[in-house]
């Protein structure tokens, strides 16, 4: 079994701001990332993912806790131990490409080796290899201003791998690229990881990007870890409503339980075809994926088509259920017209308690920090 290469123990980070007072950006994070793993931090703006990455890199000090890299402590707040970023041996690629326009590609990539006073012949050899692995062969003399965004991001990748790091930190490295280029760069990053065997921490708010590249993912919300698991488990077994909503498309229905039956909120006459789970409260939220609902003409909850929208690979319907509109997506072959009678049956649902409405206000506030 692979060793734990990055360990966070009770890592906490608090910021004090003039307008919002003290905000806990990262609250008691405990995390073990294995050697050779591609591990993503995922969550909305203000959830604590970039702050955590910056503490691992050494750009932010901890308020509490400790961080260990490759078997060595690099930050322990209680002992005032702090190893500066340049001595942590990490490769880093950030959202802004951070290439120097006055330097050609060779000098951009060679810079970290020149700082370390690596012999010139060794620098030439390693830069050439790094450029080859990032599809920038024979472009040593070209300047960044002559390149596309994707090529500039490749320079940043080449500069990160030229030092042979054991750990690579990637902070939203693809967010400034167009969708097609982002997709191809995902595969290139994954191929580089397999070739060099480094551990990757990938920070993103893009769920599809994280799911495509990750072995495991951590979903954060408001400075707290919500769930750590494989992409498939996070998608299929989300621990709470936030994770369900954040990963993939979701549709939620507020329901009321009464006398052993489940009713859509706003309609206490017509029960839903749902079995009540153990430990259910009177008011719950039923969560499912829009494409996991059976829209048909003869069984389930009777309703009608409120609206329909033709999408590229599915048709999306809204159907009234109580005082809500339920979103359903079907293959194009399942066709209903607006206003037509229909039935809804649920094939797989998850049950969550009603969420505190103050949560959204707190998320909005954190985006300002």
């Amino acid at each position: 079994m692979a060793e734990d290469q990055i360990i966070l123990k009770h890592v906490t980070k608090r910021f004090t701001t003039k307008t919002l007072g003290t905000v806990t950006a990262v609250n008691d994070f405990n995390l073990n990332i294995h050697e050779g793993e591609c591990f993503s931090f995922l969550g909305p703006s203000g959830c604590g993912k970039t702050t955590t990455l910056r503490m691992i890199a050494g750009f932010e000090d901890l308020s509490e806790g400790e961080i260990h890299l490759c078997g060595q402590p690099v930050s322990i707040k209680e002992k005032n131990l702090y190893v500066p970023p340049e001595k942590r041996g990490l490769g880093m690629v950030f959202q802004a490409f951070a290439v120097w326009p006055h330097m050609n590609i060779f000098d951009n990539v060679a810079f970290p080796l020149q700082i370390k006073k690596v012999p010139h012949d060794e620098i030439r050899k390693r830069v050439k290899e790094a450029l080859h692995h990032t599809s920038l062969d024979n472009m040593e003399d070209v300047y960044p201003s002559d390149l596309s965004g994707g090529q500039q991001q490749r320079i940043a990748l080449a500069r990160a791998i030229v030092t042979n790091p054991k750990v690579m930190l990637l902070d939203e490295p693809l967010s400034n690229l167009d969708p097609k280029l982002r997709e191809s760069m995902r595969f290139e990053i994954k191929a580089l990881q397999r070739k060099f065997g480094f551990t990757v921490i990938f920070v993103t708010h893009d769920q599809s990007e994280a799911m495509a590249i990750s072995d495991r993912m951590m979903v954060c919300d408001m400075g707290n870890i919500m769930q750590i698991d494989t992409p498939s488990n996070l998608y299929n077994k989300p621990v709470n409503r936030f994770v369900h909503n954040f990963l993939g498309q979701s549709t939620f229905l507020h329901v009321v339980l009464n006398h052993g039956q489940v009713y859509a909120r706003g309609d206490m006459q017509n029960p839903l075809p749902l079995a009540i789970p153990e430990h259910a409260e009177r008011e719950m939220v039923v969560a499912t994926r829009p494409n996991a609902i059976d829209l048909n003409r003869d069984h389930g909850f009777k309703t009608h088509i409120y609206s329909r929208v033709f999408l590229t690979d599915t048709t999306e319907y809204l159907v009234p259920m109580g005082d809500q509109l339920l979103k359903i997506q079907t293959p194009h072959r399942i066709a209903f017209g607006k206003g037509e009678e229909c039935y809804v049956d649920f094939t797989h649902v998850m049950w969550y308690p009603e969420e505190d409405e103050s949560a959204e206000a707190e998320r909005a506030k954190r985006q300002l920090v």
Side-chain angles (χ1 to χ4, degrees):
M1 177 150 177
E3 291 183 7
D4 291 331
Q5 197 157 38
I6 301 150
I7 300 171
L8 277 63
K9 296 181 181 179
H10 303 293
V11 169
T12 298
K13 180 65 178 180
R14 287 181 286 270
F15 291 104
T16 302
T17 66
K18 286 183 179 177
T19 52
L20 301 172
T22 299
V23 174
T24 302
V26 174
N27 183 29
D28 195 30
F29 275 25
N30 291 283
L31 179 62
N32 293 46
I33 299 173
H34 314 316
E35 185 178 356
E37 187 172 33
C38 186
F39 192 101
S40 288
F41 294 173
L42 186 65
S45 297
C47 73
K49 57 188 186 296
T50 293
T51 301
T52 303
L53 191 82
R54 288 177 61 81
M55 288 191 287
I56 292 169
F59 298 142
E60 296 275 0
D61 201 2
L62 320 181
S63 298
E64 293 173 25
E66 51 190 82
I67 296 173
H68 298 252
L69 296 177
C70 306
Q72 300 295 322
V74 291
S75 292
I76 300 180
K77 189 61 181 178
E78 199 174 59
K79 298 179 180 177
N80 283 325
L81 172 70
Y82 166 76
V83 175
E86 64 274 13
K87 294 189 176 176
R88 297 194 179 198
L90 304 169
M92 301 177 211
V93 181
F94 297 107
Q95 181 176 352
F97 305 142
V99 295
W100 290 292
H102 64 286
M103 294 182 181
N104 62 22
I105 290 179
F106 179 91
D107 288 333
N108 261 282
V109 176
F111 185 75
L113 299 179
Q114 292 165 346
I115 292 294
K116 291 183 175 182
K117 296 186 167 48
V118 173
H120 188 69
D121 289 348
E122 176 75 5
I123 290 177
R124 290 208 71 82
K125 175 172 172 270
R126 283 164 67 172
V127 169
K128 190 176 177 64
E129 284 177 359
L131 294 179
H132 173 67
H133 292 306
T134 50
S135 305
L136 292 168
D137 293 288
N138 305 313
M139 297 181 74
E140 289 91 338
D141 297 327
V142 176
Y143 282 81
S145 58
D146 296 324
L147 301 178
S148 68
Q151 288 170 315
Q152 289 187 41
Q153 193 60 295
R154 284 192 178 90
I155 298 173
L157 274 170
R159 190 172 61 212
I161 66 174
V162 79
T163 58
N164 300 326
K166 290 184 178 178
V167 177
M168 182 81 80
L169 306 182
L170 307 177
D171 188 9
E172 308 242 14
L174 311 180
S175 59
N176 288 333
L177 306 180
D178 66 68
K180 278 199 169 181
L181 190 53
R182 287 177 76 154
E183 199 167 319
S184 66
M185 286 295 286
R186 281 180 209 160
F187 292 109
E188 290 180 34
I189 288 170
K190 197 70 179 167
L192 284 171
Q193 186 208 5
R194 288 195 194 101
K195 178 165 188 62
F196 290 97
F198 45 67
T199 304
V200 171
I201 300 181
F202 192 91
V203 168
T204 181
H205 64 273
D206 185 318
Q207 38 159 313
S208 57
E209 198 164 88
M211 295 184 88
I213 204 170
S214 307
D215 299 307
R216 286 189 304 149
M217 307 192 306
M218 173 179 75
V219 180
C220 311
D221 183 35
M222 297 187 290
N224 293 289
I225 296 174
M226 294 288 105
Q227 189 171 356
I228 297 172
D229 215 324
T230 62
S232 61
N233 279 347
L234 280 163
Y235 184 82
N236 292 311
K237 301 171 185 174
V239 295
N240 58 29
R241 184 179 164 189
F242 172 82
V243 177
H244 197 296
N245 192 38
F246 198 79
L247 290 176
Q249 293 209 46
S250 299
T251 189
F252 298 106
L253 185 68
H254 294 263
V255 299
V256 178
L257 280 54
N258 192 36
H259 298 302
Q261 300 274 22
V262 182
Y263 298 89
R265 189 186 64 196
D267 177 5
M268 298 301 290
Q269 303 301 315
N270 303 293
L272 299 170
L274 287 169
I276 298 176
E278 287 185 39
H279 312 300
E281 300 169 14
R282 175 175 161 76
E283 295 186 11
M284 300 284 287
V285 174
V286 170
T288 186
R289 305 295 179 186
N291 61 1
I293 300 171
D294 178 15
L295 184 66
N296 64 83
R297 289 186 163 82
D298 55 27
H299 63 276
F301 179 86
K302 185 178 177 181
T303 181
H304 65 273
I305 303 299
Y306 177 82
S307 69
R308 71 188 294 268
V309 178
F310 186 89
L311 303 176
T312 52
D313 50 357
T314 60
T315 302
E316 185 171 286
Y317 296 96
L318 292 178
V319 302
M321 299 189 82
D323 60 6
Q324 302 149 82
L325 291 171
L326 188 73
K327 181 169 68 177
I328 303 172
Q329 292 175 345
T330 71
H332 295 314
R333 68 177 183 275
I334 300 174
F336 286 83
K338 184 177 178 181
E340 188 177 348
E341 181 183 281
C342 64
Y343 289 81
V344 173
D345 209 354
F346 296 92
T347 54
H348 176 72
V349 300
M350 301 199 75
W351 297 76
Y352 301 114
E354 286 276 4
E355 188 180 43
D356 182 358
E357 293 303 317
S358 65
E360 278 304 320
E362 175 68 15
R363 284 186 198 108
K365 184 179 87 168
R366 283 170 175 272
Q367 292 181 23
L368 303 174
V369 177

